[in-house]
Amino acid sequence: MREIVLSLFLLFLVQYVKSDYSPPTREQFQSCLSTNHSNSTFTNPINLTNYKTDSRIFTDFSESSSPNSSFSNLNFTSLKPILIIKPKSETEIKKAILCSKKLGVQVRTLSGGHDYEGLSYLSQSPFIIIDLVNLRSININLTDETAWIQSGATLGELYYKIAKTSKVHAFAAGICPSVGVGGHISGGGFGTIMRKHGLASDNVVDARLMDVNGVISDRKTMGEDLFWALRGGGAASFGVVLSWKVKLVRVPEKVTCFISQHTMGPEMNKLVHRWQYIGSELDEDLFIRVIIDNSQEGGQRSVKSTFQTLFLGGIDRLIPLMNQKFPELGLRSQDCKEMSWIESIMFFNWRSGQPLETLLNRDLRYEDLYFKAKSDFVQKPVPENVFGEVTKRFLEKETPLMILEPMGGKISKIAEADSPYPHRSGNLYNIQYMVKWKVNEIEEMNKHVRWMRSLYDYMSPYVTKSPRGAYLNYRDLDLGTNKGINTSFEEARKWGEKYFRGNFKKLGLVKGKIDPTNFFRNEQSIPPLF
Ligand SMILES: Cc1cc2nc3c(=O)[nH]c(=O)nc-3n(C[C@H](O)[C@H](O)[C@H](O)COP(=O)(O)OP(=O)(O)OC[C@H]3O[C@@H](n4cnc5c(N)ncnc54)[C@H](O)[C@@H]3O)c2cc1C
Ligand SMILES: *[C@@H]1O[C@H](CO)[C@@H](O)[C@H](O)[C@H]1NC(C)=O
Ligand SMILES: *[C@@H]1O[C@H](CO)[C@@H](O)[C@H](O)[C@H]1NC(C)=O
Ligand SMILES: *[C@@H]1O[C@H](CO)[C@@H](O)[C@H](O)[C@H]1NC(C)=O
Ligand SMILES: *[C@@H]1O[C@H](CO)[C@@H](O)[C@H](O)[C@H]1NC(C)=O
Ligand SMILES: *[C@@H]1O[C@H](CO)[C@@H](O)[C@H](O)[C@H]1NC(C)=O
Ligand SMILES: *[C@@H]1O[C@H](CO)[C@@H](O)[C@H](O)[C@H]1NC(C)=O
Ligand SMILES: *[C@@H]1O[C@H](CO)[C@@H](O)[C@H](O)[C@H]1NC(C)=O
């Protein structure tokens, strides 16, 4: 206890006596890591060879690059991390946390590295990165249909392992295989079977968390409020999630997929408009999302809509269902394909026919690709002419994207306060907006971000208001950011209630208990409330 108090005191000293503070060097940090602390739990010596900076992550921090790295999405210049640590054991994570606390540097926990604003590997304050890449074992137990997953694993690794273990099990989570379970599950997790089984975070049954003192707790010992907060509140505010225990779900051996693609125009606007009425009302086995993007054919830019569908059943059942609920799409059985659930994951990633092993590829990079994303929730169908205006705006851009994902089903059956993710009953669908560009220049960024903000403004009459809803996993720093360690909770409500609505206050109270000194913080972490 004395040691905790002492290091807290040191932390304050380091944070507040600014003039005396200069960040530790890499050598100083390494020296702290290798010190055999008096606490008897620190007997495991650390092999420093494991600790080195590398450039697996998307921004290049290699030795030869300049000391600071910029990343367009963030609109700030990030410092270079003092160290990138890739722990091979939980004890090493503990050392990294305690040394960071002692030396007054921040921690960025990195799982899959897909954060939309780079918060898992960029910071304006001196920091280290704890990269969980070496802690990614997955243990499936078919007897109770659960899996323990270390949080450095990716969705692709999880899906692959499930598919190799069972033909009738799956996990309800996102589509892209290189997304990490560390960030994804703690931020919600939309996927193709969410209408039947809920979000990824709705399927968590236990979790192991390391807190600011390096103490590990599980569901039983952390208490239900903290366990609640981890399931959708963004774990980065509370500590480092070491592993999740999740409920696997049953899927039929055969599922059906189809895509139906159309060029935007009056007819298409009608189809998308119509989809709004049925997307969230359909049988829970049926997931139809809409992707609106540009295509370039014969030098001619046009806007197209793609209905991308998974049905948890065979073609025979799907066709009558579609004829009854969405005859406008004119689906025929020859447009559909039956496959296993894991093949449907490949299908949704445009990888049909490739070996399943491609799911294990963690190296999805955004080299030469920058983007800005935003999100909305829709409760009343948007008028048809709005899709006409969206088309007009899309035609101005090279690579804009909108993904409309249906809610309803299981998502709506869970009460708003049952988990931090609040966008439940009453929401028809989520919109994700994205615009991409290739040149990392301020001017270029400003141009595209301005376009995105203008589209977002244009959409404001048609989406949820007061607060306007947003999805944490599509992180958007435009909504507001913290101002350092002393950010007031009141100020943070501006963006916090967009992600969490009425659940934000409880998240603040949980934060106040588990991390009162606000050690685990970033531009959009939950400020402590007492
Ligand atoms: C190509 C792509 C496809 C996507 N597809 C989907 C989709 O289908 N459905 C969907 O819902 N979302 C999707 N997303 C969004 C994705 O869910 C979020 O970006 C998610 O937070 C990524 O998790 P990560 O572990 O990969 O990211 P990271 O950048 O590693 O982490 C994200 C945040 O979580 C924190 N964090 C990570 N691990 C831990 C841990 N163990 N303990 C505590 N905090 C931690 C980080 O510090 C950071 O704040 C997609 C994103 C991309 C880039
Ligand atoms: C020191 O060890 C004790 C007993 O294991 C533990 O309760 C305490 O949290 C540890 N202190 C630190 C600073 O890790
Ligand atoms: C660390 O301390 C423990 C207990 O005091 C001791 O047994 C161990 O040998 C020490 N390890 C090193 C590397 O000094
Ligand atoms: C440290 O790790 C490296 C690489 O894994 C290994 O070659 C070296 O022998 C290790 N050193 C010690 C002291 O264990
Ligand atoms: C790096 O960033 C820091 C803090 O913003 C700044 O003081 C420093 O001048 C920058 N260094 C370079 C080489 O840009
Ligand atoms: C799997 O779960 C069952 C039921 O909870 C339990 O009895 C068994 O020990 C578990 N198996 C393993 C390997 O953990
Ligand atoms: C980036 O930050 C600068 C200075 O804070 C601001 O003027 C500019 O509008 C920002 N650009 C974007 C795209 O947010
Ligand atoms: C944070 O708040 C404390 C107490 O109110 C104050 O002393 C300190 O100067 C503040 N620190 C910063 C960085 O603003």
Side-chain angles (χ1 to χ4, degrees):
M1 189 61 200
R2 180 178 298 158
E3 195 165 315
I4 295 177
V5 171
L6 182 69
S7 50
L8 283 182
F9 176 67
L10 270 176
L11 174 72
F12 279 119
L13 212 64
V14 161
Q15 293 290 338
Y16 293 149
V17 186
K18 277 258 151 78
S19 55
D20 286 347
Y21 177 65
S22 66
T25 61
R26 178 171 305 166
E27 291 66 34
Q28 283 166 332
F29 203 95
Q30 284 178 331
S31 150
C32 173
L33 288 172
S34 56
T35 302
N36 197 350
H37 297 244
S38 56
N39 200 318
S40 59
T41 54
F42 283 94
T43 50
N44 188 15
I46 290 195
N47 185 338
L48 286 180
T49 321
N50 300 332
Y51 294 147
K52 46 178 180 254
T53 302
D54 82 356
S55 54
R56 181 179 80 82
I57 44 188
F58 306 133
T59 298
D60 184 11
F61 293 120
S62 60
E63 297 302 335
S64 58
S65 71
S66 74
N68 298 328
S69 291
S70 63
F71 184 70
S72 290
N73 291 7
L74 263 184
N75 197 19
F76 67 65
T77 300
S78 172
L79 296 176
K80 193 170 158 174
I82 294 167
L83 208 58
I84 299 176
I85 294 176
K86 297 179 172 183
K88 293 208 162 139
S89 69
E90 293 175 347
T91 315
E92 293 182 1
I93 301 180
K94 177 171 178 173
K95 282 209 171 194
I97 290 175
L98 296 185
C99 285
S100 298
K101 211 163 69 169
K102 185 168 153 197
L103 298 172
V105 309
Q106 286 187 27
V107 163
R108 289 285 186 268
T109 307
L110 178 89
S111 171
H114 280 48
D115 192 276
Y116 277 12
E117 302 275 18
L119 297 191
S120 51
Y121 54 94
L122 300 174
S123 169
Q124 287 171 291
S125 316
F127 72 113
I128 61 152
I129 295 173
I130 300 181
D131 181 344
L132 297 170
V133 63
N134 291 321
L135 295 171
R136 54 183 218 262
S137 69
I138 297 166
N139 284 302
I140 292 175
N141 185 337
L142 284 185
T143 312
D144 63 359
E145 302 180 288
T146 61
W148 269 109
I149 314 157
Q150 280 191 303
S151 54
T154 61
L155 292 179
E157 289 166 345
L158 175 60
Y159 293 164
Y160 182 84
K161 182 105 185 212
I162 293 172
K164 289 285 163 185
T165 311
S166 162
K167 286 188 168 27
V168 293
H169 286 89
F171 180 58
I175 290 164
C176 175
S178 54
V179 164
V181 302
H184 182 73
I185 296 182
S186 74
F190 291 169
T192 56
I193 56 177
M194 66 178 164
R195 300 194 59 254
K196 175 123 181 179
H197 297 291
L199 310 184
S201 55
D202 297 333
N203 289 284
V204 173
V205 292
D206 203 342
R208 293 176 65 254
L209 178 80
M210 184 176 287
D211 70 13
V212 62
N213 298 315
V215 175
I216 298 173
S217 55
D218 64 6
R219 179 173 187 170
K220 229 180 256 144
T221 50
M222 75 174 70
E224 281 302 305
D225 283 353
L226 178 53
F227 181 64
W228 171 90
L230 296 179
R231 288 173 297 147
S237 298
F238 307 103
V240 176
V241 170
L242 304 172
S243 48
W244 304 102
K245 185 183 189 184
V246 301
K247 185 86 195 126
L248 302 180
V249 299
R250 295 272 180 100
V251 286
E253 271 186 54
K254 255 199 195 111
V255 304
T256 304
C257 289
F258 72 82
I259 54 170
S260 173
Q261 231 166 41
H262 310 258
T263 299
M264 279 305 239
E267 279 311 302
M268 188 62 232
N269 295 346
K270 272 202 186 68
L271 274 185
V272 178
H273 180 254
R274 177 73 196 134
W275 169 86
Q276 301 179 95
Y277 291 85
I278 52 111
S280 65
E281 295 295 320
L282 291 168
D283 189 302
E284 292 179 4
D285 286 336
L286 185 49
F287 169 87
I288 307 179
R289 70 172 184 171
V290 185
I291 300 172
I292 304 176
D293 63 2
N294 279 356
S295 66
Q296 197 87 24
E297 270 163 42
Q300 192 69 39
R301 187 180 288 170
S302 65
V303 178
K304 67 179 190 318
S305 291
T306 305
F307 293 84
Q308 209 184 14
T309 300
L310 171 74
F311 178 59
L312 293 169
I315 296 178
D316 333 344
R317 234 178 93 218
L318 174 60
I319 297 291
L321 210 59
M322 288 296 289
N323 284 342
Q324 187 198 347
K325 299 287 184 184
F326 202 12
E328 296 86 347
L329 206 57
L331 186 73
R332 303 161 309 171
S333 53
Q334 62 263 41
D335 303 327
C336 304
K337 197 161 183 280
E338 288 181 348
M339 58 186 82
S340 64
W341 164 75
I342 195 72
E343 285 166 346
S344 79
I345 295 288
M346 302 295 280
F347 180 90
F348 266 79
N349 283 288
W350 313 99
R351 293 185 191 195
S352 289
Q354 292 179 24
L356 290 187
E357 282 65 30
T358 63
L359 294 172
L360 305 176
N361 181 4
R362 298 175 67 97
D363 281 334
L364 180 133
R365 286 172 172 249
Y366 298 115
E367 266 162 10
D368 306 323
L369 187 60
Y370 303 90
F371 66 89
K372 174 68 196 159
K374 289 180 161 297
S375 62
D376 264 320
F377 288 88
V378 175
Q379 298 191 336
K380 277 199 210 101
V382 168
E384 200 175 307
N385 68 306
V386 171
F387 296 104
E389 173 65 20
V390 166
T391 302
K392 209 173 102 209
R393 287 168 179 256
F394 268 42
L395 284 173
E396 299 164 4
K397 279 273 139 194
E398 211 170 310
T399 46
L401 175 69
M402 245 163 96
I403 303 182
L404 318 183
E405 302 207 271
M407 300 279 115
K410 177 76 180 284
I411 301 166
S412 299
K413 289 180 188 149
I414 295 171
E416 183 170 321
D418 280 359
S419 84
Y421 176 91
H423 313 289
R424 303 280 182 179
S425 175
N427 288 284
L428 302 179
Y429 60 98
N430 170 271
I431 305 179
Q432 175 177 195
Y433 313 86
M434 194 180 270
V435 61
K436 304 176 196 167
W437 64 93
K438 289 196 173 119
V439 187
N440 187 15
E441 279 171 4
I442 296 280
E443 276 312 300
E444 188 72 5
M445 171 187 71
N446 284 340
K447 194 173 78 189
H448 295 288
V449 173
R450 264 200 307 273
W451 180 87
M452 171 60 76
R453 288 177 186 154
S454 159
L455 176 63
Y456 187 73
D457 286 346
Y458 169 72
M459 290 300 291
S460 57
Y462 311 112
V463 297
T464 54
K465 294 178 218 12
S466 323
R468 186 170 183 171
Y471 172 42
L472 183 66
N473 269 342
Y474 300 156
R475 191 191 304 284
D476 177 7
L477 294 186
D478 283 355
L479 303 178
T481 56
N482 291 331
K483 299 187 180 51
I485 191 168
N486 282 353
T487 293
S488 83
F489 184 83
E490 278 310 307
E491 256 181 89
R493 284 174 63 162
K494 177 172 139 245
W495 55 265
E497 289 181 352
K498 292 189 163 75
Y499 291 129
F500 305 113
R501 297 174 55 87
N503 295 325
F504 191 54
K505 188 169 174 198
K506 181 167 168 187
L507 287 169
L509 292 168
V510 171
K511 168 77 173 179
K513 276 202 184 125
I514 186 73
D515 185 23
T517 63
N518 203 9
F519 171 72
F520 286 107
R521 65 183 185 279
N522 61 39
E523 284 67 15
Q524 271 185 357
S525 57
I526 315 277
L529 182 63
F530 304 99

